[in-house]
Amino acid sequence: MLQTTLLDVYAKAGDLDGARKVFEEMASRRDIASWNALIAGLAQGSRPSEALEMFKRAGSEGLRANEVTVLGALSACSQLGATREGEKIWEYVRGEGLDLNVQVCNAAIDMYAKCGFVDKAYQIFERVCRKSLVTWNTMIMALAMHGDGRRAMELFEEMGRFGVCPDSVSYLAALCACNHAGLVDEGFRLFNSMAERGVNPNVKHYGSVVDLLGRAGRLEDAFEIVRSMPVVPDVVLWQTLLGACTTYGNVDMAEQVSRKLVEMGSNSCGDFVLLSNLYAACKRWDDVGRVREAMKNRDVKKVPGFSYTEVEGVVHKFLNGDQSHPSWREIYRKLEEVRFRIEAYGYVPETNYVLHDIGQEDKENALCYHSEKLAVAFGLISISEHAPIQVIKNLRICGDCHAVIKLISKIYEREIIVRDRARFHRFKQGSCSCRDYW
């Protein structure tokens, strides 16, 4: 059908509004292909909420979803961390026998892992009879993102014994596992073995090694790799090194790296924010002001931090200091209660995470209403105490929030799963799965 073809062209070109317009005009002439094209386009175009809405609408209109339909819907659930909806889709998949399709199983593994349930992802992985290379890679990366480096490396070795030859993605996943678990020696051995197995390292592999060294505090070694690598380092690699400099307070190297990023034309707000964070931690407020002025002159906008959590199938989004949620008063009261209880455990706000040269009380208030804290507080008042609280954050979780959520998990006896930009943090009984190595 011509209109379905046109819809598909719009969706693949990224014109999702155009695709939706064509779709609505089709009315009774819609078929499975038109639904699939729109759902997949929305999921791939970073509009997962709309993709999931369309999937539900398709079901309500009597459409019988096929493999392509559920692939788009599972991808949307992965992006949103929508566990409840993802589990409904997986139940449908199994009921319809679609779990015989390895691509669908791969999507389900990814969905469960990105929703914070890596054990459920592994259960599906084990049931897949004919695992593809993508199946292995998806599971290794899932374990890596959850900080289970040892298990990820065991799986990497196991795939060889099953006759599956690792590719560049396999090595990248395994290197990420070493990064998040602090397996520096293992990571180096793995990186050095790539060429022997016929896989040439690319800039992402070098970036992972730089990240590995940076996390371990070996900044000079990391800097030397960047300067001597045979491929041209990209902006992301330099940004990785800048992040490590910030973590370990190396101002001189951070300034060198920042100059390099400027030379490369990077105008990312993250570059400026990292340098500002470092200056602020050192109480160099004049330098903080200089960085802010540079951001203003370059018209660089700071990306706002936000978090969201799913409660009874509904996704709730929070910004820092948000008072737009219908339950914001109850959330703020819960945070006040949390603050009182964690202070009894000796909590002291880590105000070095606040950039502004303002009073101590104002800094503490600024920290108190970070978006991830608001999402966790909403979870405490809205989610059954027997169910984990799941939060997704668009940026890296801040150190103060990490410390607070560890205490909340202990005091309130709750399991809390936070997925930030880089990895998962599973808080339980006062500890985090990252072992404070992040």
mmCIF file of all heavy atoms in Angstrom, residues 180-220:
data_model
loop_
_atom_site.group_PDB
_atom_site.id
_atom_site.type_symbol
_atom_site.label_atom_id
_atom_site.label_comp_id
_atom_site.label_asym_id
_atom_site.label_seq_id
_atom_site.Cartn_x
_atom_site.Cartn_y
_atom_site.Cartn_z
ATOM 1 N N HIS A 180 33.603 -1.148 34.977
ATOM 2 C CA HIS A 180 32.649 -0.952 36.062
ATOM 3 C C HIS A 180 32.967 -1.784 37.294
ATOM 4 O O HIS A 180 32.474 -1.485 38.389
ATOM 5 C CB HIS A 180 31.238 -1.265 35.580
ATOM 6 C CG HIS A 180 30.716 -0.292 34.563
ATOM 7 N ND1 HIS A 180 30.751 1.071 34.757
ATOM 8 C CD2 HIS A 180 30.180 -0.469 33.332
ATOM 9 C CE1 HIS A 180 30.241 1.684 33.704
ATOM 10 N NE2 HIS A 180 29.892 0.769 32.823
ATOM 11 N N ALA A 181 33.788 -2.819 37.121
ATOM 12 C CA ALA A 181 34.137 -3.661 38.266
ATOM 13 C C ALA A 181 35.561 -3.402 38.770
ATOM 14 O O ALA A 181 35.996 -4.026 39.736
ATOM 15 C CB ALA A 181 33.984 -5.134 37.894
ATOM 16 N N GLY A 182 36.270 -2.472 38.121
ATOM 17 C CA GLY A 182 37.631 -2.153 38.554
ATOM 18 C C GLY A 182 38.639 -3.253 38.248
ATOM 19 O O GLY A 182 39.660 -3.368 38.929
ATOM 20 N N LEU A 183 38.384 -4.043 37.211
ATOM 21 C CA LEU A 183 39.286 -5.150 36.849
ATOM 22 C C LEU A 183 40.341 -4.632 35.869
ATOM 23 O O LEU A 183 40.305 -4.904 34.666
ATOM 24 C CB LEU A 183 38.479 -6.302 36.231
ATOM 25 C CG LEU A 183 37.318 -6.844 37.084
ATOM 26 C CD1 LEU A 183 36.537 -7.903 36.310
ATOM 27 C CD2 LEU A 183 37.853 -7.421 38.391
ATOM 28 N N VAL A 184 41.287 -3.881 36.394
ATOM 29 C CA VAL A 184 42.256 -3.192 35.547
ATOM 30 C C VAL A 184 43.168 -4.171 34.812
ATOM 31 O O VAL A 184 43.328 -4.085 33.590
ATOM 32 C CB VAL A 184 43.097 -2.196 36.385
ATOM 33 C CG1 VAL A 184 44.113 -1.484 35.503
ATOM 34 C CG2 VAL A 184 42.188 -1.186 37.066
ATOM 35 N N ASP A 185 43.775 -5.096 35.520
ATOM 36 C CA ASP A 185 44.687 -6.046 34.877
ATOM 37 C C ASP A 185 43.966 -6.905 33.855
ATOM 38 O O ASP A 185 44.474 -7.141 32.744
ATOM 39 C CB ASP A 185 45.352 -6.940 35.937
ATOM 40 C CG ASP A 185 46.287 -6.171 36.850
ATOM 41 O OD1 ASP A 185 46.774 -5.097 36.420
ATOM 42 O OD2 ASP A 185 46.534 -6.623 37.983
ATOM 43 N N GLU A 186 42.771 -7.378 34.210
ATOM 44 C CA GLU A 186 41.992 -8.194 33.280
ATOM 45 C C GLU A 186 41.642 -7.401 32.026
ATOM 46 O O GLU A 186 41.691 -7.917 30.905
ATOM 47 C CB GLU A 186 40.715 -8.698 33.946
ATOM 48 C CG GLU A 186 40.936 -9.734 35.026
ATOM 49 C CD GLU A 186 41.161 -9.095 36.406
ATOM 50 O OE1 GLU A 186 41.547 -7.897 36.461
ATOM 51 O OE2 GLU A 186 40.941 -9.798 37.405
ATOM 52 N N GLY A 187 41.312 -6.129 32.203
ATOM 53 C CA GLY A 187 40.973 -5.282 31.070
ATOM 54 C C GLY A 187 42.143 -5.083 30.135
ATOM 55 O O GLY A 187 41.986 -5.124 28.904
ATOM 56 N N PHE A 188 43.334 -4.874 30.699
ATOM 57 C CA PHE A 188 44.523 -4.723 29.869
ATOM 58 C C PHE A 188 44.823 -5.990 29.082
ATOM 59 O O PHE A 188 45.151 -5.948 27.893
ATOM 60 C CB PHE A 188 45.732 -4.359 30.734
ATOM 61 C CG PHE A 188 46.068 -2.898 30.674
ATOM 62 C CD1 PHE A 188 45.964 -2.105 31.811
ATOM 63 C CD2 PHE A 188 46.470 -2.299 29.497
ATOM 64 C CE1 PHE A 188 46.264 -0.752 31.767
ATOM 65 C CE2 PHE A 188 46.766 -0.957 29.434
ATOM 66 C CZ PHE A 188 46.662 -0.174 30.578
ATOM 67 N N ARG A 189 44.709 -7.130 29.746
ATOM 68 C CA ARG A 189 44.972 -8.398 29.057
ATOM 69 C C ARG A 189 43.980 -8.603 27.914
ATOM 70 O O ARG A 189 44.353 -9.031 26.818
ATOM 71 C CB ARG A 189 44.876 -9.565 30.042
ATOM 72 C CG ARG A 189 46.121 -9.740 30.899
ATOM 73 C CD ARG A 189 46.162 -11.118 31.547
ATOM 74 N NE ARG A 189 45.054 -11.317 32.473
ATOM 75 C CZ ARG A 189 45.101 -11.034 33.760
ATOM 76 N NH1 ARG A 189 46.215 -10.500 34.286
ATOM 77 N NH2 ARG A 189 44.066 -11.253 34.550
ATOM 78 N N LEU A 190 42.743 -8.264 28.183
ATOM 79 C CA LEU A 190 41.712 -8.408 27.159
ATOM 80 C C LEU A 190 41.997 -7.490 25.970
ATOM 81 O O LEU A 190 41.928 -7.924 24.800
ATOM 82 C CB LEU A 190 40.356 -8.069 27.775
ATOM 83 C CG LEU A 190 39.139 -8.209 26.880
ATOM 84 C CD1 LEU A 190 38.881 -9.676 26.566
ATOM 85 C CD2 LEU A 190 37.913 -7.586 27.541
ATOM 86 N N PHE A 191 42.336 -6.250 26.253
ATOM 87 C CA PHE A 191 42.615 -5.289 25.188
ATOM 88 C C PHE A 191 43.807 -5.736 24.341
ATOM 89 O O PHE A 191 43.757 -5.673 23.105
ATOM 90 C CB PHE A 191 42.895 -3.917 25.807
ATOM 91 C CG PHE A 191 43.200 -2.843 24.797
ATOM 92 C CD1 PHE A 191 42.198 -2.292 24.020
ATOM 93 C CD2 PHE A 191 44.501 -2.380 24.638
ATOM 94 C CE1 PHE A 191 42.483 -1.310 23.084
ATOM 95 C CE2 PHE A 191 44.797 -1.390 23.716
ATOM 96 C CZ PHE A 191 43.779 -0.851 22.940
ATOM 97 N N ASN A 192 44.842 -6.216 25.005
ATOM 98 C CA ASN A 192 46.039 -6.644 24.274
ATOM 99 C C ASN A 192 45.824 -7.912 23.464
ATOM 100 O O ASN A 192 46.590 -8.201 22.537
ATOM 101 C CB ASN A 192 47.200 -6.852 25.256
ATOM 102 C CG ASN A 192 47.682 -5.549 25.864
ATOM 103 O OD1 ASN A 192 47.593 -4.491 25.232
ATOM 104 N ND2 ASN A 192 48.170 -5.597 27.097
ATOM 105 N N SER A 193 44.791 -8.682 23.806
ATOM 106 C CA SER A 193 44.537 -9.937 23.078
ATOM 107 C C SER A 193 43.692 -9.719 21.829
ATOM 108 O O SER A 193 43.538 -10.638 21.016
ATOM 109 C CB SER A 193 43.814 -10.936 24.002
ATOM 110 O OG SER A 193 42.476 -10.531 24.253
ATOM 111 N N MET A 194 43.162 -8.524 21.649
ATOM 112 C CA MET A 194 42.254 -8.289 20.531
ATOM 113 C C MET A 194 42.926 -8.528 19.180
ATOM 114 O O MET A 194 42.393 -9.257 18.340
ATOM 115 C CB MET A 194 41.709 -6.854 20.586
ATOM 116 C CG MET A 194 40.717 -6.623 21.703
ATOM 117 S SD MET A 194 40.067 -4.934 21.732
ATOM 118 C CE MET A 194 39.208 -4.866 20.166
ATOM 119 N N ALA A 195 44.083 -7.911 18.980
ATOM 120 C CA ALA A 195 44.771 -8.049 17.695
ATOM 121 C C ALA A 195 45.134 -9.501 17.411
ATOM 122 O O ALA A 195 45.079 -9.957 16.259
ATOM 123 C CB ALA A 195 46.024 -7.172 17.675
ATOM 124 N N GLU A 196 45.494 -10.243 18.470
ATOM 125 C CA GLU A 196 45.841 -11.654 18.300
ATOM 126 C C GLU A 196 44.666 -12.464 17.772
ATOM 127 O O GLU A 196 44.851 -13.475 17.095
ATOM 128 C CB GLU A 196 46.318 -12.243 19.636
ATOM 129 C CG GLU A 196 47.570 -11.590 20.200
ATOM 130 C CD GLU A 196 47.863 -12.044 21.617
ATOM 131 O OE1 GLU A 196 47.174 -12.973 22.081
ATOM 132 O OE2 GLU A 196 48.771 -11.469 22.244
ATOM 133 N N ARG A 197 43.454 -12.030 18.112
ATOM 134 C CA ARG A 197 42.252 -12.747 17.667
ATOM 135 C C ARG A 197 41.630 -12.102 16.432
ATOM 136 O O ARG A 197 40.496 -12.402 16.059
ATOM 137 C CB ARG A 197 41.214 -12.776 18.802
ATOM 138 C CG ARG A 197 41.712 -13.528 20.036
ATOM 139 C CD ARG A 197 40.570 -13.781 20.992
ATOM 140 N NE ARG A 197 41.020 -14.322 22.262
ATOM 141 C CZ ARG A 197 40.199 -14.670 23.259
ATOM 142 N NH1 ARG A 197 38.896 -14.519 23.119
ATOM 143 N NH2 ARG A 197 40.667 -15.159 24.388
ATOM 144 N N GLY A 198 42.386 -11.227 15.789
ATOM 145 C CA GLY A 198 41.942 -10.657 14.525
ATOM 146 C C GLY A 198 40.935 -9.534 14.631
ATOM 147 O O GLY A 198 40.233 -9.225 13.660
ATOM 148 N N VAL A 199 40.844 -8.903 15.808
ATOM 149 C CA VAL A 199 39.925 -7.769 15.987
ATOM 150 C C VAL A 199 40.753 -6.514 16.252
ATOM 151 O O VAL A 199 41.431 -6.422 17.274
ATOM 152 C CB VAL A 199 38.940 -8.013 17.153
ATOM 153 C CG1 VAL A 199 38.001 -6.821 17.306
ATOM 154 C CG2 VAL A 199 38.150 -9.302 16.938
ATOM 155 N N ASN A 200 40.712 -5.576 15.326
ATOM 156 C CA ASN A 200 41.500 -4.352 15.482
ATOM 157 C C ASN A 200 40.775 -3.369 16.392
ATOM 158 O O ASN A 200 39.600 -3.046 16.159
ATOM 159 C CB ASN A 200 41.741 -3.691 14.122
ATOM 160 C CG ASN A 200 42.658 -4.512 13.248
ATOM 161 O OD1 ASN A 200 43.626 -5.107 13.736
ATOM 162 N ND2 ASN A 200 42.363 -4.578 11.957
ATOM 163 N N PRO A 201 41.444 -2.881 17.430
ATOM 164 C CA PRO A 201 40.801 -1.921 18.339
ATOM 165 C C PRO A 201 40.437 -0.631 17.611
ATOM 166 O O PRO A 201 41.221 -0.123 16.805
ATOM 167 C CB PRO A 201 41.873 -1.667 19.409
ATOM 168 C CG PRO A 201 42.839 -2.800 19.286
ATOM 169 C CD PRO A 201 42.828 -3.201 17.846
ATOM 170 N N ASN A 202 39.259 -0.124 17.871
ATOM 171 C CA ASN A 202 38.870 1.176 17.335
ATOM 172 C C ASN A 202 38.873 2.216 18.453
ATOM 173 O O ASN A 202 39.277 1.915 19.587
ATOM 174 C CB ASN A 202 37.506 1.098 16.629
ATOM 175 C CG ASN A 202 36.389 0.629 17.564
ATOM 176 O OD1 ASN A 202 36.376 0.951 18.756
ATOM 177 N ND2 ASN A 202 35.430 -0.123 17.025
ATOM 178 N N VAL A 203 38.423 3.415 18.155
ATOM 179 C CA VAL A 203 38.511 4.495 19.126
ATOM 180 C C VAL A 203 37.670 4.204 20.380
ATOM 181 O O VAL A 203 38.022 4.633 21.491
ATOM 182 C CB VAL A 203 38.093 5.839 18.470
ATOM 183 C CG1 VAL A 203 36.606 5.850 18.149
ATOM 184 C CG2 VAL A 203 38.463 7.022 19.339
ATOM 185 N N LYS A 204 36.580 3.442 20.216
ATOM 186 C CA LYS A 204 35.758 3.108 21.383
ATOM 187 C C LYS A 204 36.502 2.165 22.333
ATOM 188 O O LYS A 204 36.369 2.273 23.554
ATOM 189 C CB LYS A 204 34.444 2.480 20.939
ATOM 190 C CG LYS A 204 33.493 3.466 20.270
ATOM 191 C CD LYS A 204 32.164 2.809 19.949
ATOM 192 C CE LYS A 204 31.202 3.814 19.323
ATOM 193 N NZ LYS A 204 29.899 3.189 18.972
ATOM 194 N N HIS A 205 37.277 1.242 21.780
ATOM 195 C CA HIS A 205 38.045 0.337 22.631
ATOM 196 C C HIS A 205 39.132 1.110 23.379
ATOM 197 O O HIS A 205 39.367 0.880 24.568
ATOM 198 C CB HIS A 205 38.667 -0.782 21.800
ATOM 199 C CG HIS A 205 37.650 -1.667 21.132
ATOM 200 N ND1 HIS A 205 37.343 -1.548 19.797
ATOM 201 C CD2 HIS A 205 36.857 -2.648 21.629
ATOM 202 C CE1 HIS A 205 36.413 -2.443 19.494
ATOM 203 N NE2 HIS A 205 36.102 -3.114 20.592
ATOM 204 N N TYR A 206 39.814 2.022 22.651
ATOM 205 C CA TYR A 206 40.817 2.851 23.326
ATOM 206 C C TYR A 206 40.160 3.721 24.401
ATOM 207 O O TYR A 206 40.706 3.898 25.492
ATOM 208 C CB TYR A 206 41.547 3.733 22.308
ATOM 209 C CG TYR A 206 42.670 3.022 21.595
ATOM 210 C CD1 TYR A 206 42.491 2.482 20.326
ATOM 211 C CD2 TYR A 206 43.912 2.873 22.197
ATOM 212 C CE1 TYR A 206 43.517 1.816 19.673
ATOM 213 C CE2 TYR A 206 44.950 2.211 21.560
ATOM 214 C CZ TYR A 206 44.743 1.683 20.300
ATOM 215 O OH TYR A 206 45.767 1.010 19.668
ATOM 216 N N GLY A 207 38.979 4.233 24.084
ATOM 217 C CA GLY A 207 38.271 5.036 25.071
ATOM 218 C C GLY A 207 37.926 4.240 26.315
ATOM 219 O O GLY A 207 37.987 4.747 27.432
ATOM 220 N N SER A 208 37.595 2.967 26.125
ATOM 221 C CA SER A 208 37.254 2.119 27.265
ATOM 222 C C SER A 208 38.486 1.874 28.139
ATOM 223 O O SER A 208 38.389 1.844 29.369
ATOM 224 C CB SER A 208 36.688 0.784 26.765
ATOM 225 O OG SER A 208 36.108 0.060 27.813
ATOM 226 N N VAL A 209 39.656 1.716 27.508
ATOM 227 C CA VAL A 209 40.887 1.523 28.284
ATOM 228 C C VAL A 209 41.246 2.800 29.042
ATOM 229 O O VAL A 209 41.674 2.758 30.202
ATOM 230 C CB VAL A 209 42.049 1.097 27.359
ATOM 231 C CG1 VAL A 209 43.367 1.081 28.123
ATOM 232 C CG2 VAL A 209 41.774 -0.287 26.781
ATOM 233 N N VAL A 210 41.065 3.946 28.391
ATOM 234 C CA VAL A 210 41.305 5.221 29.068
ATOM 235 C C VAL A 210 40.362 5.362 30.261
ATOM 236 O O VAL A 210 40.755 5.797 31.352
ATOM 237 C CB VAL A 210 41.122 6.400 28.080
ATOM 238 C CG1 VAL A 210 41.082 7.735 28.821
ATOM 239 C CG2 VAL A 210 42.239 6.402 27.048
ATOM 240 N N ASP A 211 39.114 4.966 30.070
ATOM 241 C CA ASP A 211 38.134 4.993 31.161
ATOM 242 C C ASP A 211 38.545 4.047 32.280
ATOM 243 O O ASP A 211 38.435 4.377 33.466
ATOM 244 C CB ASP A 211 36.766 4.597 30.609
ATOM 245 C CG ASP A 211 35.626 4.908 31.572
ATOM 246 O OD1 ASP A 211 35.815 5.749 32.467
ATOM 247 O OD2 ASP A 211 34.554 4.310 31.425
ATOM 248 N N LEU A 212 39.027 2.874 31.905
ATOM 249 C CA LEU A 212 39.485 1.872 32.875
ATOM 250 C C LEU A 212 40.588 2.441 33.764
ATOM 251 O O LEU A 212 40.550 2.321 34.992
ATOM 252 C CB LEU A 212 39.989 0.638 32.121
ATOM 253 C CG LEU A 212 40.506 -0.542 32.936
ATOM 254 C CD1 LEU A 212 39.358 -1.276 33.607
ATOM 255 C CD2 LEU A 212 41.266 -1.516 32.020
ATOM 256 N N LEU A 213 41.574 3.078 33.122
ATOM 257 C CA LEU A 213 42.686 3.665 33.879
ATOM 258 C C LEU A 213 42.225 4.879 34.680
ATOM 259 O O LEU A 213 42.641 5.075 35.826
ATOM 260 C CB LEU A 213 43.800 4.063 32.913
ATOM 261 C CG LEU A 213 44.539 2.916 32.235
ATOM 262 C CD1 LEU A 213 45.393 3.436 31.077
ATOM 263 C CD2 LEU A 213 45.409 2.181 33.229
ATOM 264 N N GLY A 214 41.361 5.697 34.059
ATOM 265 C CA GLY A 214 40.881 6.899 34.741
ATOM 266 C C GLY A 214 40.110 6.577 36.000
ATOM 267 O O GLY A 214 40.295 7.216 37.040
ATOM 268 N N ARG A 215 39.243 5.569 35.943
ATOM 269 C CA ARG A 215 38.475 5.173 37.118
ATOM 270 C C ARG A 215 39.395 4.700 38.240
ATOM 271 O O ARG A 215 39.085 4.865 39.415
ATOM 272 C CB ARG A 215 37.508 4.049 36.763
ATOM 273 C CG ARG A 215 36.331 4.461 35.918
ATOM 274 C CD ARG A 215 35.511 3.232 35.545
ATOM 275 N NE ARG A 215 34.467 3.538 34.588
ATOM 276 C CZ ARG A 215 33.236 3.930 34.900
ATOM 277 N NH1 ARG A 215 32.910 4.068 36.169
ATOM 278 N NH2 ARG A 215 32.344 4.181 33.974
ATOM 279 N N ALA A 216 40.513 4.076 37.844
ATOM 280 C CA ALA A 216 41.457 3.548 38.829
ATOM 281 C C ALA A 216 42.419 4.620 39.342
ATOM 282 O O ALA A 216 43.290 4.329 40.176
ATOM 283 C CB ALA A 216 42.240 2.387 38.227
ATOM 284 N N GLY A 217 42.299 5.853 38.825
ATOM 285 C CA GLY A 217 43.163 6.940 39.273
ATOM 286 C C GLY A 217 44.499 7.011 38.574
ATOM 287 O O GLY A 217 45.349 7.833 38.939
ATOM 288 N N ARG A 218 44.701 6.201 37.554
ATOM 289 C CA ARG A 218 45.986 6.200 36.831
ATOM 290 C C ARG A 218 45.901 7.193 35.675
ATOM 291 O O ARG A 218 45.907 6.825 34.491
ATOM 292 C CB ARG A 218 46.309 4.784 36.369
ATOM 293 C CG ARG A 218 46.570 3.842 37.537
ATOM 294 C CD ARG A 218 46.635 2.384 37.141
ATOM 295 N NE ARG A 218 47.635 2.113 36.113
ATOM 296 C CZ ARG A 218 47.924 0.887 35.650
ATOM 297 N NH1 ARG A 218 47.290 -0.169 36.170
ATOM 298 N NH2 ARG A 218 48.817 0.715 34.693
ATOM 299 N N LEU A 219 45.840 8.460 36.028
ATOM 300 C CA LEU A 219 45.580 9.502 35.040
ATOM 301 C C LEU A 219 46.733 9.704 34.065
ATOM 302 O O LEU A 219 46.513 9.922 32.868
ATOM 303 C CB LEU A 219 45.263 10.821 35.760
ATOM 304 C CG LEU A 219 44.045 10.796 36.692
ATOM 305 C CD1 LEU A 219 43.807 12.173 37.285
ATOM 306 C CD2 LEU A 219 42.806 10.313 35.969
ATOM 307 N N GLU A 220 47.961 9.635 34.560
ATOM 308 C CA GLU A 220 49.114 9.816 33.664
ATOM 309 C C GLU A 220 49.163 8.714 32.621
ATOM 310 O O GLU A 220 49.441 8.961 31.442
ATOM 311 C CB GLU A 220 50.414 9.851 34.477
ATOM 312 C CG GLU A 220 50.556 11.068 35.390
ATOM 313 C CD GLU A 220 50.648 12.379 34.614
ATOM 314 O OE1 GLU A 220 50.974 12.338 33.412
ATOM 315 O OE2 GLU A 220 50.383 13.436 35.227
#
